[in-house]
Amino acid sequence: MVKELRLALIGFGTVGQGLAELLMEKRDWLRAVYGLDARLVAVATARSGFLARAEGLDEAELLRIAASGQPLTAYAAAGVKRWPTVREGLAATGADVLIEVTGTNLRDGEPGLSHIRQALEQGIHVITANKGPVALAAHELLALAARKGVQLRMEATVMAGTPVLSTLREGLAGARIRALSGILNGTTNYILTAMSQGRDYTEVLAEAQRLGYAEADPSADVEGYDALAKTLILAALVFGLPLRAEQVQRRGITGVTREEVRAAQAQGRRIKLVASLRLREGVEVSATSPADQRPALPVEARVEPVALPLEHPLARVDGVMNALTVECDTLDSVTVIGPGAGRRQTAQGLLADLLAIART
């Protein structure tokens, strides 16, 4: 039997287009192996509004239009309808799954936060690669999804398509997790790796910008805000804690000097930007613990440069790679290593979440 899922894709930039490519390339294989017919019935952007067609949209044509620089309103097919906003379009058409991949906004999570809330309220499953809404409101959104009997999945928000959240939620089901520590930002890891080879911060940052690893304004990466957002997501998913940004001790890498890097190497250490969550001594907490039974702040949460001994599993994770080490009661320590960004890599995280929803 083949299960059909109607998809509404909100955002058609790099990640949205990457997912459209995967859906197009893998359509026959998904039907044959997973029994899934994933039909893209709506797509939305700020420029073009919300376009929907009950019979489905042609991913190849959408990609051609996007590549030409035209608005998606250039899509011409019988039965296509348009609404000026996602709110109006989603209310009028619905879908089985909303895939939210608009740009990350760490200030208030918008517009993605409103998109996700509306979909969940309508009883629509949600998949997102947008860190803003889940960093700021994962606890609330997961509770809303549970009340509505649908799923909110976010694999691609941490380490892109590398299966770290599914490892924590499903692969380590039954284990008591005591601590997490990770390299969760590829830009800063690239810079620190190059600095360990004797290069200067300013020079390497400029190179990272030329290569597309760093934005023109790199502050979200180098000041640690991106890693902080992922720390908040992990706190919500693993410990059920709605941490706020100010509860995480944050320090970026802009103050790390070549001399500090050399001094660490002389002591057999490597400096890495490490995001960490650690339960305080004597504390037992889980995502199912009632809120009134949790200490005010049962975890120590930090994002900061750390001089790691070479035997530490994160010390030799170099370049733009990401990694997360999990300490738990049954397996002692587990480390997941993989790419933390990229068009197809992030789209893989979205696809994995889609298949997880299809299985249920």
Side-chain angles (χ1 to χ4, degrees):
M1 293 180 63
V2 174
K3 175 183 290 187
E4 179 184 307
L5 288 179
R6 299 172 302 123
L7 314 180
L9 177 58
I10 314 303
F12 204 66
T14 299
V15 175
Q17 291 174 40
L19 178 63
E21 290 171 355
L22 285 189
L23 291 174
M24 182 174 59
E25 293 171 13
K26 294 177 177 284
R27 176 160 285 112
D28 292 342
W29 186 72
L30 291 174
R31 286 177 63 94
V33 176
Y34 292 96
L36 173 63
D37 178 11
R39 181 177 301 181
L40 184 62
V41 297
V43 65
T45 66
R47 181 185 182 189
S48 300
F50 186 101
L51 294 105
R53 182 171 183 265
E55 298 81 5
L57 299 168
D58 183 339
E59 294 96 345
E61 178 63 8
L62 290 171
L63 288 165
R64 184 195 68 77
I65 292 169
S68 72
Q70 301 177 77
L72 295 184
T73 48
Y75 187 95
V80 174
K81 297 180 180 180
R82 179 184 177 275
W83 289 263
T85 67
V86 171
R87 176 172 292 278
E88 294 169 279
L90 196 61
T93 62
D96 298 313
V97 182
L98 178 83
I99 302 173
E100 217 292 338
V101 292
T102 59
T104 292
N105 170 5
L106 296 178
R107 294 184 304 277
D108 59 15
E110 297 295 352
L113 182 54
S114 291
H115 298 158
I116 293 171
R117 279 190 180 125
Q118 180 182 349
L120 295 174
E121 287 284 2
Q122 289 184 216
I124 296 171
H125 298 291
V126 174
I127 298 167
T128 187
N130 187 342
K131 294 184 290 293
V134 288
L136 299 176
H139 196 263
E140 170 211 331
L141 295 173
L142 288 166
L144 175 58
R147 288 198 303 274
K148 295 295 180 177
V150 293
Q151 293 189 53
L152 168 61
R153 300 191 69 92
M154 57 195 79
E155 185 68 73
T157 61
V158 180
M159 290 178 59
T162 301
V164 64
L165 297 188
S166 55
T167 296
L168 291 167
R169 297 174 76 177
E170 287 131 26
L172 287 174
R176 288 187 174 182
I177 295 175
R178 307 299 304 173
L180 305 168
S181 58
I183 295 170
L184 302 181
N185 182 271
T187 301
T188 51
N189 202 41
Y190 178 85
I191 293 171
L192 291 172
T193 299
M195 289 179 70
S196 72
Q197 298 162 358
R199 300 176 63 187
D200 181 71
Y201 170 83
T202 304
E203 171 199 352
V204 179
L205 173 59
E207 178 180 85
Q209 290 171 319
R210 287 196 304 272
L211 294 172
Y213 298 149
E215 301 289 341
D217 177 2
S219 56
D221 294 322
V222 299
E223 295 290 353
Y225 291 105
D226 177 72
L228 184 151
K230 295 167 184 175
T231 303
L232 298 180
I233 294 169
L234 290 168
L237 282 181
V238 176
F239 299 119
L241 295 173
L243 290 187
R244 302 185 305 276
E246 59 269 24
Q247 292 176 305
V248 181
Q249 296 186 49
R250 176 195 54 81
R251 181 163 61 92
I253 67 166
T254 54
V256 176
T257 66
R258 188 161 47 181
E259 290 69 30
E260 286 178 301
V261 172
R262 286 173 178 163
Q265 289 177 313
Q267 297 171 5
R269 294 174 175 266
R270 303 275 308 274
I271 294 180
K272 298 291 183 181
L273 184 69
V274 177
S276 62
L277 288 162
R278 181 172 294 276
L279 282 179
R280 299 187 187 278
E281 285 296 323
V283 171
E284 290 292 342
V285 67
S286 73
T288 58
S289 298
D292 60 359
Q293 294 180 17
R294 299 174 189 154
L297 190 59
V299 297
E300 182 181 13
R302 311 176 73 92
V303 173
E304 61 186 352
V306 178
L308 298 171
L310 293 181
E311 61 270 20
H312 193 286
L314 300 180
R316 297 182 186 273
V317 176
D318 287 337
V320 295
M321 296 296 280
N322 282 192
L324 184 73
T325 294
V326 185
E327 297 175 33
C328 62
D329 64 340
T330 50
L331 298 179
D332 190 19
S333 176
V334 176
T335 300
V336 180
I337 301 173
R343 177 185 180 116
R344 289 176 68 84
Q345 291 88 343
T346 306
Q348 167 59 36
L350 297 169
L351 181 60
D353 277 344
L354 179 61
L355 289 167
I357 288 172
R359 283 194 294 271
T360 60

